[in-house]
Amino acid sequence: GEDVEQSLFLSVREGDSSVINCTYTDSSSTYLYWYKQEPGAGLQLLTYIFSNMDMKQDQRLTVLLNKKDKHLSLRIADTQTGDSAIYFCAGNTFMNYGGSQGNLIFGKGTKLSVKP
Amino acid sequence: DTGVSQNPRHKITKRGQNVTFRCDPISEHNRLYWYRQTLGQGPEFLTYFQNEAQLEKSRLLSDRFSAERPKGSFSTLEIQRTEQGDSAMYLCASRQTSSTDTQYFGPGTRLTVL
């Protein structure tokens, strides 16, 4: 089955760029997602990328996908203290019900700390 | 607010008691998922519904767990004879069949079993 790995911690200074990395094992995922979780809260979808894309940019967020190496990254430009949170990458999975897609497989999350 | 809602937000119970959580998905979403998240981990899939049909259960969903979505709208997750190991955040997500297959999460129910 799918396995998703992330580094656990990242610390940056306010205004710098943050790069959060993720590797995955199952190349059949059609979508890869980035979620943000603040303390005690649910998961907020940040962005996603389709597996046939190399890059997606959405305001301060840039997602890079290297399918050959099964590596996904999230770059946050001009990181702010409000970006401090845990960031999860996730891939979708396939089920055998008529080819429909099922649950997400998450990494353990990367805790981003932003220092003023 | 038209997002996913979950109730209660927090639940403290004694070992051996039964608990029930509720999830109200985004209204037009036909798929509903339950996940469990323990401290320091990412969410782990428990089960999912398409409309009222429960289509998949993970190995994490022991016999003490049961989920329903009787009318294809809200869902309940019941844990019988709770154990301390059941302490976790229980997250619900919903999605509509679409080209992006994006799941939207609720705020979660944090369960503490004493």
Side-chain angles (χ1 to χ4, degrees):
Chain A
E2 174 79 282
D3 191 26
V4 178
E5 298 283 340
Q6 297 179 242
S7 53
L8 296 181
F9 301 99
L10 177 64
S11 180
V12 300
R13 292 209 172 273
E14 192 173 20
D16 288 349
S17 293
S18 307
V19 179
I20 302 171
N21 294 301
C22 171
T23 57
Y24 59 96
T25 57
D26 187 352
S27 58
S28 66
S29 292
T30 53
Y31 289 98
L32 294 151
Y33 307 85
W34 284 102
Y35 285 87
K36 174 184 179 182
Q37 187 176 38
E38 298 186 42
L43 276 69
Q44 173 194 351
L45 175 71
L46 290 177
T47 189
Y48 62 89
I49 188 166
F50 189 48
S51 59
N52 69 353
M53 297 170 64
D54 298 324
M55 185 182 86
K56 179 179 180 182
Q57 188 154 0
D58 185 359
Q59 299 182 338
R60 292 191 298 124
L61 305 178
T62 303
V63 179
L64 295 178
L65 176 59
N66 181 329
K67 286 193 69 176
K68 175 176 173 290
D69 294 338
K70 298 181 184 175
H71 181 266
L72 181 74
S73 68
L74 174 70
R75 178 176 179 270
I76 305 172
D78 186 26
T79 314
Q80 302 297 307
T81 54
D83 295 323
S84 293
I86 298 176
Y87 291 79
F88 292 95
C89 72
N92 63 347
T93 61
F94 284 93
M95 293 166 50
N96 293 323
Y97 291 99
S100 62
Q101 294 170 331
N103 55 292
L104 299 178
I105 302 293
F106 287 85
K108 290 186 176 182
T110 299
K111 184 173 183 178
L112 174 64
S113 297
V114 182
K115 299 179 181 178
Chain B
D1 186 6
T2 57
V4 179
S5 62
Q6 292 187 247
N7 288 288
R9 293 292 308 277
H10 303 275
K11 179 71 178 178
I12 300 173
T13 191
K14 292 183 179 178
R15 190 174 54 187
Q17 299 294 305
N18 299 344
V19 294
T20 300
F21 310 139
R22 176 176 169 130
C23 170
D24 287 87
I26 294 170
S27 58
E28 63 269 23
H29 286 186
N30 61 351
R31 296 189 180 188
L32 186 149
Y33 299 79
W34 285 99
Y35 293 83
R36 182 176 72 183
Q37 185 180 23
T38 54
L39 198 62
Q41 303 294 318
E44 296 173 291
F45 169 73
L46 292 178
T47 188
Y48 112 87
F49 293 83
Q50 178 162 311
N51 299 313
E52 64 275 8
Q54 187 173 17
L55 294 188
E56 189 179 8
K57 300 184 212 180
S58 85
R59 290 188 299 272
L60 293 176
L61 210 69
S62 77
D63 291 345
R64 297 184 297 105
F65 287 67
S66 63
E68 294 183 340
R69 195 183 183 198
K71 298 181 181 178
S73 56
F74 73 91
S75 176
T76 57
L77 177 68
E78 181 184 15
I79 309 174
Q80 295 182 325
R81 304 181 303 281
T82 51
E83 301 173 356
Q84 287 184 325
D86 297 331
S87 295
M89 174 82 92
Y90 290 84
L91 294 162
C92 174
S94 71
R95 61 169 263 222
Q96 182 60 287
T97 307
S98 71
S99 59
T100 66
D101 296 330
T102 302
Q103 295 184 23
Y104 296 90
F105 283 79
T109 295
R110 179 163 297 282
L111 173 66
T112 302
V113 181
L114 301 176

